[in-house]
Amino acid sequence: MISAMAVMSIIFLLIKVVVISWLPQEGDNVKDDQEDQLVVDHLAEEEDSFLKKGPWTAEEDAILAAYVTSNGVGNWNIVRKNTGLARCGKSCRLRWTNHLRPDLKKGAFTQEEQLKVIQLHALMGNKWARMAQELPGRTDNEIKNFWNTRQKKRKRAGLPLYPEDIEVLNVDNPQSINQNVSTQHANDSQPGTSSHNVPELVFNNYKLVNGKHPSCVPPISVMPENSTFEQQDNSDKQVMHPPHLQIMHRSHEQLQDSLPNDYIKFQGDYMSCDDKCSSGISLPSFDDDLLRMGEDPPTQTHDQYYEPRSPRSNGYLESIFCPPPKIVEGSDDCSMQGESSLGNGENLDPIMNQDTLGDTWLFIFKKDFPSYKSLYNKYMIMEDISSISDRVGRR
DNA sequence: AACCGACTCAACCGCGGACGA
DNA sequence: ATCGTCCGCGGTTGAGTCGGT
């Protein structure tokens, strides 16, 4: 292959020599600029026709990689001349920067990367190269493709380009400007100004990007219908302290009313269930995730919610991302069907329920949950956040 | 199996800025 | 100041793939 390219190079050089011989020589009195230009154009055309286009072969990659490794980047037109590659300098540079660079990260964007792209685009627009500097291992081309695909999807779905909370997510960057964020809350208290520096917002109609599971799993349980949060006077009702993350149906108005001040609720729909929910894929355990995040294990107070459970049955991930268990009307404990599985380690496949699928559910975070902030960033990468509808936690 | 449309991604193209002669 | 070359950036295209019918 290399020798074949060398032969091609020689042929090209011969053509070049022949064409050059047509040029007026020094001392000639011929000064016809038009003819000169024609010859130059002809040369360029010859060169262009010699240059190969289209997909790179493994051999070409090997040649280019070997050359750049030993000579460094830059002088891309020299690369072509020195290696015999039938590729223009531009093509060589593109191939190296987008595919052969050793520090490239392969594979789909992680949720963190997706969020970062959204944030960066809100900040700087179509500055792909600038954005690539903020995402190590990702190329401007990758980011551009990701964004264009996302843009197309959202346009077709009639969704806004940015989640409306992008401003909140950028709270650590005071310079952030989201041209798409509505100003309906411009006069409200600044986001992220609660005592725990947690944005006090309710999101509607969200779902996870691509329905992918997050890498970190919070504790979660489903509230029995007739229970309430830490209220002293309701001895006949099941009194319980909410865990750090809890889901409940919006119809549980009483529960919502009893929500302590140090909790925050998010409102949303179960929308992103797909085959992953019941495919038996291995899901990380909560404890592992806490350890991974370098944070303290759950306190004794909430041990009831942190019983070791198999990843499949811990109910955390699937409760969040799959249709919730069906509410059993009139059952003794008013619990949800399948709830017992949450605590006994048995597998629980979420029960598809057309009545509750797509319905509005509430996710409740404890504000001082040590990993709240990172949970927020991990989980709230939602494509369909359509409105910031209300402030909560003010009773 | 064939067809079709949607989607992804690699690669190309044109333009403009930087820089040196 | 002007011109030519190189390089990088952003927009666009087209081949390949995948899923649905």
Side-chain angles (χ1 to χ4, degrees), chain A residues 53-72:
Chain A
K53 292 181 180 178
W56 280 63
T57 64
E59 289 83 1
E60 288 174 310
D61 281 349
I63 293 169
L64 178 60
Y67 181 85
V68 177
T69 301
S70 58
N71 295 282

Side-chain angles (χ1 to χ4, degrees), chain A residues 221-228 238 240 246-249 251-252 255 324-344 348 351 353 356 361:
Chain A
S221 72
V222 180
M223 285 293 285
E225 208 166 285
N226 65 343
S227 62
T228 183
Q238 183 181 350
M240 58 190 301
Q246 178 114 26
I247 63 171
M248 65 180 177
H249 195 260
S251 63
H252 294 196
L255 275 176
K326 183 177 182 176
I327 298 173
V328 180
E329 298 285 339
S331 65
D332 287 339
D333 59 1
C334 293
S335 64
M336 298 196 179
Q337 185 176 338
E339 187 189 6
S340 61
S341 298
L342 292 174
N344 63 10
L348 167 64
I351 297 167
N353 181 347
T356 53
W361 288 72

Side-chain angles (χ1 to χ4, degrees), chain A residues 311-322:
Chain A
R312 180 75 182 90
S313 65
N314 62 15
Y316 298 159
L317 280 176
E318 288 141 345
S319 289
I320 301 175
F321 303 118
C322 298

Side-chain angles (χ1 to χ4, degrees), chain A residues 277-293:
Chain A
C277 293
S278 55
S279 61
I281 57 172
S282 175
L283 304 175
S285 74
F286 175 59
D287 289 341
D288 286 345
D289 282 302
L290 268 189
L291 289 174
R292 183 156 63 242
M293 294 170 73

